[in-house]
Amino acid sequence: MNVNIIRMHERIVALSKIGMTQEGGSRRIALTDADKAGRELLISWMKQSKLEVQIDQVGNIFATLKGKSSGQPIMMGSHIDTVGNGGHLDGCLGVIAALECVTAFVDSDVLPNHDLCVGIFTNEEGVRFVPDMLGSLVYAGGMDMEDAYNIVSTDGVTFKEELIRTGYLGDMKCGSRVPHAFLELHIEQGPILENKNILIGAVDGVQGISWTNVIFTGQSNHAGTTPMDMRHDAGYAAARLIVALREITAKIGAGQVATVGVIKPAPNLINVVPGKVSMTVDLRNSNEEKLKAAEALFTEQLEKICLEEGVVVSTEKLARFEPVVFDERLCDLISKTATALGYSNMHMTSGAGHDAQMMARICPTAMIFVPSRSGISHNPKEFTESVQLNIGAELLFETLLKIDQGYLD
Ligand code: HGY
Ligand code: MN
Ligand code: MN
């Protein structure tokens, strides 16, 4: 019994054609029509494998193969929504490989001991509805469903409206099935495995994430007539914050990252001093105390910039997740299984957020990473060698077999 590698690659390519961008990337932002089309393609494959498909109250999709002793399922999965111009593997590899693992049982007419379940979580990327990992967060009890329903997207509609519009407001009670274990295969999205020439990451945790929306308000004014010492330039305040954040990462030290991914000046005109700038700040660290220290320095800088530039600032916390540690037994199982298969491997922490970090709240959870070429992701250039994808899928399957044979029992 093996995963069907050929079909896995075919399906990665087939899914990539939905929401393909001009640069050859993927654009299936959560609960858009492209995301809906991707979901329908995956559901058609799940039904081809005669799996029982259910949609829960926040649009999470679950496909189940009943086992001998039906109960808590061994769940594998990830997401298929993407950032605005992402790659073809982020999330998709984990979902398609998980489906191949379960389909291997169906194709070989072998009944697993446990129920096996493939999960596709809603809005993992968080680029349209914040926070990210929203579907798995609600599933794991980290956010009340009604609060999630009322989240307003960047384009002004609520999460619930889009679930209804796309037909993914399901009736399965969200979080009603607590998995026996959760495994997520994912590309690393960073340079570590490639730089160390290692094939597999046994991921033992995810770093903490802090997302903040910042709005500087100064005074729009004439670009030509306003003397420099009379300006309250929200654009300059934003620029100072970006530089300050880079300095904060140096101060906190290795492992601290800071990103301003969104920056929107208003009125955004060549001859008008920006009176307003809204921007996002993404801070991450695998050490909670250091992340808190970075947040404190960030707040200090906001106050300093406002005082010196004569602007005011408002902030809104969009997401805040502490670092997560995965199940040690599962991490060991992944590295031991990789070693037994002859694949180089290392324990590592994930720089990116994942649905697994939410599932770790409710069941034994771990992740498998495969290398990303030049560490690039959230970019059409995202790429992993086919043979590396095959190794990831094979390891996911072998790890699943061991859990199904009672490793955690
Ligand atoms: O932001 C993240 O790390 C994830 O891709 N949502
Ligand atoms: Mn992902
Ligand atoms: Mn991503």
Side-chain angles (χ1 to χ4, degrees), residues 87-163:
H88 302 161
L89 297 169
D90 178 356
C92 308
L93 169 66
V95 169
I96 291 170
L99 182 53
E100 286 303 340
C101 289
V102 177
T103 305
F105 281 83
V106 175
D107 291 350
S108 315
D109 217 5
V110 170
L111 206 55
N113 297 317
H114 297 78
D115 287 0
L116 303 183
C117 184
V118 179
I120 305 176
F121 292 102
T122 305
N123 190 59
E124 189 277 345
E125 292 296 0
V127 294
R128 186 181 183 206
F129 303 93
V130 287
D132 53 351
M133 288 81 72
L134 182 56
S136 48
L137 176 67
V138 179
Y139 188 93
M143 179 185 277
D144 181 76
M145 193 163 63
E146 287 306 320
D147 292 342
Y149 280 163
N150 296 324
I151 291 170
V152 179
S153 68
T154 48
D155 47 326
V157 287
T158 67
F159 185 59
K160 185 168 188 177
E161 284 165 346
E162 287 299 274
L163 285 169

Side-chain angles (χ1 to χ4, degrees), residues 202-251:
V203 185
D204 42 30
V206 179
Q207 64 179 343
I209 297 180
S210 163
W211 281 3
T212 309
N213 198 46
V214 174
I215 298 178
F216 283 114
T217 305
Q219 186 181 58
S220 292
N221 216 325
H222 194 295
T225 58
T226 312
M228 296 313 287
D229 63 0
M230 284 179 63
R231 293 185 181 211
H232 304 290
D233 183 342
Y236 180 65
R240 281 191 58 177
L241 178 60
I242 293 173
V243 171
L245 286 166
R246 179 63 64 95
E247 288 160 0
I248 287 170
T249 60
K251 208 170 200 173

